[in-house]
Amino acid sequence: MAKSVFESDNSLTYTEVHAAILGAVVGVLVGYGHGIGRTTAAVSLTVTFVGVALGIKYTGKIPAAQRTVRREPWYALAALLVGGTVGLVAV
């Protein structure tokens, strides 16, 4: 079992928090990119992120960020949605 973030009975772990942060950052970039007219790049980044989160096979060594997103895909994808909305509204 992973260690709790707040040293309490809270079940939120470091991996969950990091996956949510990664998803939010990518979401803000994607939302902003779509808002300024870079829709193709935004869609490409979104598809890649969702593919990684849902476990598309990758040969070779997987970077730490990808391992984190693969361990907690729903935190990452929910944060992607929220971050994308924030990024789109910010434009």
Side-chain angles (χ1 to χ4, degrees):
M1 183 100 195
K3 186 176 179 184
S4 174
V5 174
F6 300 110
E7 301 293 332
S8 68
D9 292 334
N10 186 352
S11 62
L12 194 62
T13 65
Y14 286 103
T15 306
E16 293 165 347
V17 170
H18 289 141
I21 290 170
L22 287 168
V25 168
V26 172
V28 168
L29 292 173
V30 164
Y32 181 75
H34 177 69
I36 63 170
R38 305 283 186 184
T39 304
T40 303
V43 169
S44 298
L45 183 57
T46 303
V47 167
T48 301
F49 187 83
V50 170
V52 166
L54 296 180
I56 291 201
K57 298 294 182 199
Y58 178 80
T59 58
K61 185 173 176 166
I62 299 175
Q66 286 184 7
R67 285 193 307 267
T68 299
V69 170
R70 284 186 179 187
R71 285 185 191 131
E72 300 297 343
W74 303 117
Y75 284 91
L77 294 175
L80 175 73
L81 180 63
V82 172
T85 302
V86 169
L88 190 58
V89 169
V91 175

